[in-house]
Amino acid sequence: MSKSVIIINGPNLNLLGTREPEIYGAVTLKDIEAGTRAHGEKIGIEIDFFQSNNEGELVDAIQGAAGKHGGIILNAAAYTHTSVALQDAIKATGVPTIEVHLSNVFSREEFRHHSYISPVAAGVICGFGAKGYVLALDALADLID
Ligand code: CA2
């Protein structure tokens, strides 16, 4: 398998940098894409980057990673807390997946404390803003080795 990773982002993350900077920071999704691509180049990992507001498209992106990508970095956003379909997709593809959240979901509302992704993820990173994606990339690089 080539050293390639897909970074999948869920609903409303396309709005990053435009609203609620006190929670999610001032960076845009384009900034996150550029930062992770630059880090990927440094450590020899190719990156595909995808965002959708639709649950089914996120399922398709996870399924599409099988046989193509060595790992998935997933910020499923609100679907983290609701989606059995995303959990099933990760389980079915068997591609190592790291769950990322910009905010510390455990210091927020109770409903954000439960994740359908965590039980099937290789690991979880939350609370470090955009840097979390870079940390996840380093973690995946070790897993893919
Ligand atoms: O902290 C995270 O990364 C979250 O996955 C973000 C989700 C939230 O539902 C999760 O509990 C934690 C929300 C993404 C919404 O992003 C926005 C960005 C800018 C303005 C409004 C929403």
Short mmCIF file of all heavy atoms in Angstrom, two decimals, residues 9-21 23-25 27 74-81 100-105 108-109 111-113 125-127 133, ligand 1:
data_model
loop_
_atom_site.label_atom_id
_atom_site.label_comp_id
_atom_site.label_asym_id
_atom_site.label_seq_id
_atom_site.Cartn_x
_atom_site.Cartn_y
_atom_site.Cartn_z
N ASN A 9 -13.56 15.39 6.25
CA ASN A 9 -14.19 16.35 7.14
C ASN A 9 -15.69 16.39 6.94
O ASN A 9 -16.17 16.42 5.80
CB ASN A 9 -13.61 17.74 6.88
CG ASN A 9 -12.18 17.85 7.37
OD1 ASN A 9 -11.94 17.95 8.57
ND2 ASN A 9 -11.24 17.79 6.44
N GLY A 10 -16.41 16.46 8.05
CA GLY A 10 -17.87 16.40 8.00
C GLY A 10 -18.56 17.75 7.97
O GLY A 10 -17.94 18.79 7.68
N PRO A 11 -19.84 17.75 8.33
CA PRO A 11 -20.71 18.90 8.10
C PRO A 11 -20.28 20.18 8.81
O PRO A 11 -19.87 20.15 9.97
CB PRO A 11 -22.07 18.43 8.63
CG PRO A 11 -21.77 17.27 9.50
CD PRO A 11 -20.55 16.62 8.94
N ASN A 12 -20.40 21.25 8.06
CA ASN A 12 -20.17 22.63 8.52
C ASN A 12 -18.70 23.00 8.66
O ASN A 12 -18.39 24.17 8.89
CB ASN A 12 -20.92 22.92 9.84
CG ASN A 12 -22.42 22.81 9.66
OD1 ASN A 12 -22.97 23.41 8.75
ND2 ASN A 12 -23.06 22.00 10.48
N LEU A 13 -17.81 22.03 8.52
CA LEU A 13 -16.39 22.37 8.65
C LEU A 13 -15.92 23.24 7.48
O LEU A 13 -14.88 23.90 7.58
CB LEU A 13 -15.54 21.11 8.80
CG LEU A 13 -15.70 20.45 10.18
CD1 LEU A 13 -15.15 19.04 10.20
CD2 LEU A 13 -15.03 21.29 11.28
N ASN A 14 -16.71 23.28 6.40
CA ASN A 14 -16.43 24.23 5.31
C ASN A 14 -16.56 25.69 5.78
O ASN A 14 -16.06 26.60 5.13
CB ASN A 14 -17.35 23.98 4.11
CG ASN A 14 -18.82 24.01 4.48
OD1 ASN A 14 -19.22 23.35 5.44
ND2 ASN A 14 -19.61 24.75 3.76
N LEU A 15 -17.22 25.89 6.94
CA LEU A 15 -17.41 27.25 7.46
C LEU A 15 -16.27 27.72 8.35
O LEU A 15 -16.28 28.85 8.84
CB LEU A 15 -18.72 27.33 8.26
CG LEU A 15 -20.01 27.02 7.51
CD1 LEU A 15 -21.19 27.08 8.46
CD2 LEU A 15 -20.20 28.02 6.36
N LEU A 16 -15.31 26.85 8.59
CA LEU A 16 -14.21 27.20 9.50
C LEU A 16 -13.57 28.53 9.11
O LEU A 16 -13.35 28.80 7.92
CB LEU A 16 -13.12 26.13 9.46
CG LEU A 16 -13.28 24.91 10.34
CD1 LEU A 16 -12.11 23.97 10.14
CD2 LEU A 16 -13.43 25.30 11.80
N GLY A 17 -13.26 29.31 10.12
CA GLY A 17 -12.59 30.59 9.88
C GLY A 17 -13.56 31.72 9.60
O GLY A 17 -13.16 32.88 9.55
N THR A 18 -14.84 31.38 9.41
CA THR A 18 -15.82 32.43 9.11
C THR A 18 -16.73 32.73 10.29
O THR A 18 -17.26 33.82 10.40
CB THR A 18 -16.71 32.05 7.91
OG1 THR A 18 -17.51 30.91 8.27
CG2 THR A 18 -15.89 31.70 6.67
N ARG A 19 -16.94 31.72 11.17
CA ARG A 19 -17.83 31.88 12.33
C ARG A 19 -17.24 31.13 13.52
O ARG A 19 -16.44 30.23 13.36
CB ARG A 19 -19.22 31.30 12.04
CG ARG A 19 -19.92 32.04 10.94
CD ARG A 19 -21.39 31.66 10.85
NE ARG A 19 -21.98 32.34 9.71
CZ ARG A 19 -22.11 31.80 8.50
NH1 ARG A 19 -21.75 30.55 8.30
NH2 ARG A 19 -22.62 32.48 7.50
N GLU A 20 -17.71 31.51 14.72
CA GLU A 20 -17.32 30.85 15.98
C GLU A 20 -15.81 30.64 16.13
O GLU A 20 -15.37 29.56 16.52
CB GLU A 20 -18.06 29.49 16.11
CG GLU A 20 -19.58 29.64 16.10
CD GLU A 20 -20.29 28.35 16.49
OE1 GLU A 20 -20.07 27.89 17.62
OE2 GLU A 20 -21.06 27.84 15.66
N PRO A 21 -15.00 31.69 15.86
CA PRO A 21 -13.54 31.52 16.00
C PRO A 21 -13.12 31.24 17.44
O PRO A 21 -12.06 30.63 17.66
CB PRO A 21 -12.97 32.86 15.51
CG PRO A 21 -14.09 33.83 15.62
CD PRO A 21 -15.36 33.05 15.44
N ILE A 23 -14.38 29.12 19.37
CA ILE A 23 -14.39 27.66 19.59
C ILE A 23 -13.44 26.96 18.63
O ILE A 23 -12.65 26.10 19.02
CB ILE A 23 -15.82 27.07 19.38
CG1 ILE A 23 -16.81 27.73 20.32
CG2 ILE A 23 -15.80 25.55 19.61
CD1 ILE A 23 -18.25 27.27 20.12
N TYR A 24 -13.51 27.33 17.34
CA TYR A 24 -12.80 26.54 16.33
C TYR A 24 -11.55 27.20 15.77
O TYR A 24 -10.88 26.63 14.92
CB TYR A 24 -13.78 26.19 15.19
CG TYR A 24 -14.96 25.38 15.67
CD1 TYR A 24 -16.26 25.86 15.57
CD2 TYR A 24 -14.77 24.13 16.24
CE1 TYR A 24 -17.34 25.13 16.03
CE2 TYR A 24 -15.83 23.38 16.72
CZ TYR A 24 -17.12 23.89 16.60
OH TYR A 24 -18.17 23.15 17.06
N GLY A 25 -11.24 28.43 16.25
CA GLY A 25 -10.04 29.11 15.76
C GLY A 25 -10.32 29.87 14.47
O GLY A 25 -11.44 29.86 13.94
N VAL A 27 -8.50 29.57 11.61
CA VAL A 27 -8.03 28.92 10.38
C VAL A 27 -9.20 28.43 9.52
O VAL A 27 -10.26 28.05 10.05
CB VAL A 27 -7.09 27.71 10.66
CG1 VAL A 27 -5.79 28.14 11.27
CG2 VAL A 27 -7.79 26.67 11.49
N LEU A 74 -10.24 11.40 10.29
CA LEU A 74 -11.67 11.72 10.19
C LEU A 74 -12.11 12.70 11.27
O LEU A 74 -12.02 12.40 12.46
CB LEU A 74 -12.50 10.44 10.31
CG LEU A 74 -14.02 10.61 10.34
CD1 LEU A 74 -14.55 11.19 9.03
CD2 LEU A 74 -14.71 9.26 10.62
N ASN A 75 -12.56 13.87 10.82
CA ASN A 75 -13.33 14.75 11.71
C ASN A 75 -14.76 14.70 11.19
O ASN A 75 -15.12 15.40 10.24
CB ASN A 75 -12.80 16.19 11.70
CG ASN A 75 -13.54 17.07 12.71
OD1 ASN A 75 -14.58 16.67 13.24
ND2 ASN A 75 -13.02 18.25 12.97
N ALA A 76 -15.56 13.86 11.81
CA ALA A 76 -16.93 13.65 11.34
C ALA A 76 -17.86 14.76 11.84
O ALA A 76 -19.07 14.71 11.57
CB ALA A 76 -17.43 12.29 11.79
N ALA A 77 -17.31 15.74 12.57
CA ALA A 77 -18.09 16.86 13.09
C ALA A 77 -19.33 16.33 13.83
O ALA A 77 -19.22 15.37 14.60
CB ALA A 77 -18.42 17.84 11.97
N ALA A 78 -20.51 16.90 13.60
CA ALA A 78 -21.69 16.51 14.38
C ALA A 78 -22.06 15.04 14.18
O ALA A 78 -22.64 14.41 15.08
CB ALA A 78 -22.87 17.41 14.03
N TYR A 79 -21.72 14.46 13.01
CA TYR A 79 -22.04 13.04 12.78
C TYR A 79 -21.27 12.12 13.73
O TYR A 79 -21.64 10.95 13.92
CB TYR A 79 -21.77 12.64 11.33
CG TYR A 79 -22.76 13.21 10.34
CD1 TYR A 79 -22.34 13.73 9.12
CD2 TYR A 79 -24.13 13.21 10.61
CE1 TYR A 79 -23.25 14.25 8.21
CE2 TYR A 79 -25.04 13.73 9.71
CZ TYR A 79 -24.60 14.25 8.51
OH TYR A 79 -25.49 14.76 7.61
N THR A 80 -20.19 12.64 14.32
CA THR A 80 -19.46 11.88 15.34
C THR A 80 -20.43 11.35 16.40
O THR A 80 -20.29 10.22 16.87
CB THR A 80 -18.47 12.82 16.07
OG1 THR A 80 -17.60 13.40 15.11
CG2 THR A 80 -17.69 12.10 17.14
N HIS A 81 -21.38 12.20 16.76
CA HIS A 81 -22.24 11.92 17.91
C HIS A 81 -23.54 11.21 17.54
O HIS A 81 -24.36 10.94 18.41
CB HIS A 81 -22.55 13.24 18.64
CG HIS A 81 -21.35 14.13 18.78
ND1 HIS A 81 -20.23 13.74 19.49
CD2 HIS A 81 -21.06 15.36 18.27
CE1 HIS A 81 -19.31 14.71 19.42
NE2 HIS A 81 -19.80 15.70 18.69
N VAL A 100 -10.33 12.97 14.77
CA VAL A 100 -9.80 14.28 15.16
C VAL A 100 -10.94 15.25 15.44
O VAL A 100 -11.95 15.25 14.72
CB VAL A 100 -8.90 14.86 14.04
CG1 VAL A 100 -8.58 16.33 14.27
CG2 VAL A 100 -7.60 14.07 13.92
N HIS A 101 -10.78 16.06 16.48
CA HIS A 101 -11.67 17.20 16.71
C HIS A 101 -10.84 18.42 17.02
O HIS A 101 -9.86 18.33 17.79
CB HIS A 101 -12.64 16.93 17.86
CG HIS A 101 -13.51 15.75 17.59
ND1 HIS A 101 -14.55 15.79 16.69
CD2 HIS A 101 -13.46 14.48 18.06
CE1 HIS A 101 -15.11 14.60 16.63
NE2 HIS A 101 -14.47 13.78 17.44
N LEU A 102 -11.24 19.54 16.48
CA LEU A 102 -10.54 20.80 16.75
C LEU A 102 -10.70 21.18 18.22
O LEU A 102 -9.74 21.56 18.88
CB LEU A 102 -11.13 21.91 15.87
CG LEU A 102 -10.91 21.72 14.37
CD1 LEU A 102 -11.99 22.45 13.58
CD2 LEU A 102 -9.54 22.21 13.98
N SER A 103 -11.92 21.10 18.70
CA SER A 103 -12.21 21.49 20.08
C SER A 103 -12.07 20.30 21.01
O SER A 103 -12.08 19.14 20.57
CB SER A 103 -13.64 22.05 20.17
OG SER A 103 -14.58 21.05 19.83
N ASN A 104 -11.94 20.60 22.32
CA ASN A 104 -11.97 19.54 23.31
C ASN A 104 -13.42 19.20 23.59
O ASN A 104 -14.09 19.85 24.40
CB ASN A 104 -11.26 19.98 24.59
CG ASN A 104 -11.30 18.90 25.66
OD1 ASN A 104 -11.91 17.84 25.45
ND2 ASN A 104 -10.69 19.15 26.78
N VAL A 105 -13.90 18.16 22.92
CA VAL A 105 -15.33 17.83 23.01
C VAL A 105 -15.74 17.48 24.45
O VAL A 105 -16.90 17.64 24.82
CB VAL A 105 -15.70 16.67 22.04
CG1 VAL A 105 -15.78 17.17 20.62
CG2 VAL A 105 -14.74 15.51 22.16
N ARG A 108 -17.08 20.34 26.59
CA ARG A 108 -18.27 20.99 26.00
C ARG A 108 -19.55 20.26 26.46
O ARG A 108 -19.55 19.56 27.45
CB ARG A 108 -18.11 21.03 24.48
CG ARG A 108 -16.85 21.82 24.06
CD ARG A 108 -16.71 21.93 22.56
NE ARG A 108 -17.81 22.70 22.00
CZ ARG A 108 -18.07 22.76 20.68
NH1 ARG A 108 -17.32 22.10 19.83
NH2 ARG A 108 -19.08 23.48 20.24
N GLU A 109 -20.64 20.46 25.74
CA GLU A 109 -21.92 19.87 26.14
C GLU A 109 -21.81 18.34 26.25
O GLU A 109 -21.08 17.72 25.49
CB GLU A 109 -23.02 20.20 25.12
CG GLU A 109 -23.23 21.68 24.84
CD GLU A 109 -22.44 22.16 23.62
OE1 GLU A 109 -21.29 21.71 23.43
OE2 GLU A 109 -22.98 23.00 22.89
N PHE A 111 -23.70 16.02 25.19
CA PHE A 111 -23.98 15.21 23.99
C PHE A 111 -22.75 15.05 23.10
O PHE A 111 -22.70 14.16 22.25
CB PHE A 111 -25.17 15.77 23.19
CG PHE A 111 -24.91 17.09 22.48
CD1 PHE A 111 -24.30 17.11 21.23
CD2 PHE A 111 -25.27 18.29 23.07
CE1 PHE A 111 -24.06 18.31 20.56
CE2 PHE A 111 -25.02 19.50 22.41
CZ PHE A 111 -24.42 19.51 21.17
N ARG A 112 -21.73 15.90 23.32
CA ARG A 112 -20.50 15.76 22.52
C ARG A 112 -19.51 14.78 23.14
O ARG A 112 -18.46 14.51 22.57
CB ARG A 112 -19.82 17.13 22.34
CG ARG A 112 -20.64 18.12 21.55
CD ARG A 112 -19.86 19.39 21.27
NE ARG A 112 -20.76 20.51 21.02
CZ ARG A 112 -21.31 20.79 19.84
NH1 ARG A 112 -21.02 20.07 18.79
NH2 ARG A 112 -22.15 21.80 19.71
N HIS A 113 -19.85 14.25 24.33
CA HIS A 113 -18.93 13.34 25.01
C HIS A 113 -18.99 11.94 24.42
O HIS A 113 -18.08 11.15 24.62
CB HIS A 113 -19.21 13.28 26.51
CG HIS A 113 -19.05 14.60 27.20
ND1 HIS A 113 -19.20 14.76 28.55
CD2 HIS A 113 -18.76 15.84 26.71
CE1 HIS A 113 -19.01 16.04 28.87
NE2 HIS A 113 -18.74 16.71 27.76
N ILE A 125 -7.75 12.33 18.76
CA ILE A 125 -7.02 13.57 19.11
C ILE A 125 -8.05 14.69 19.15
O ILE A 125 -8.76 14.91 18.16
CB ILE A 125 -5.93 13.88 18.06
CG1 ILE A 125 -4.86 12.79 18.07
CG2 ILE A 125 -5.30 15.26 18.33
CD1 ILE A 125 -3.88 12.85 16.91
N CYS A 126 -8.14 15.39 20.26
CA CYS A 126 -9.07 16.51 20.32
C CYS A 126 -8.54 17.63 21.19
O CYS A 126 -7.75 17.39 22.10
CB CYS A 126 -10.46 16.06 20.78
SG CYS A 126 -10.63 15.77 22.54
N GLY A 127 -8.93 18.85 20.82
CA GLY A 127 -8.61 19.99 21.66
C GLY A 127 -7.38 20.78 21.25
O GLY A 127 -7.03 21.76 21.91
N TYR A 133 -4.67 17.75 13.23
CA TYR A 133 -4.58 17.01 11.96
C TYR A 133 -3.13 16.60 11.68
O TYR A 133 -2.88 15.51 11.15
CB TYR A 133 -5.10 17.87 10.80
CG TYR A 133 -6.59 18.10 10.79
CD1 TYR A 133 -7.18 19.07 11.58
CD2 TYR A 133 -7.42 17.32 9.99
CE1 TYR A 133 -8.55 19.29 11.57
CE2 TYR A 133 -8.80 17.53 9.97
CZ TYR A 133 -9.35 18.52 10.77
OH TYR A 133 -10.71 18.72 10.75
O1 CA2 B 1 -14.32 20.16 17.46
C1 CA2 B 1 -14.60 19.61 16.38
O2 CA2 B 1 -13.77 19.48 15.48
C2 CA2 B 1 -16.02 19.12 16.13
O3 CA2 B 1 -15.95 17.92 15.37
C3 CA2 B 1 -16.71 20.21 15.33
C4 CA2 B 1 -18.19 19.94 15.08
C5 CA2 B 1 -18.90 19.59 16.38
O4 CA2 B 1 -20.24 19.23 16.11
C6 CA2 B 1 -18.21 18.47 17.12
O5 CA2 B 1 -18.89 18.23 18.34
C7 CA2 B 1 -16.77 18.81 17.42
C8 CA2 B 1 -18.86 21.18 14.48
C9 CA2 B 1 -18.24 21.65 13.21
C10 CA2 B 1 -18.89 22.96 12.86
O6 CA2 B 1 -17.91 23.82 12.37
C11 CA2 B 1 -18.19 25.14 12.30
C12 CA2 B 1 -17.16 25.95 11.92
C13 CA2 B 1 -17.35 27.30 11.86
C14 CA2 B 1 -18.58 27.84 12.15
C15 CA2 B 1 -19.63 27.03 12.53
C16 CA2 B 1 -19.42 25.66 12.61
#
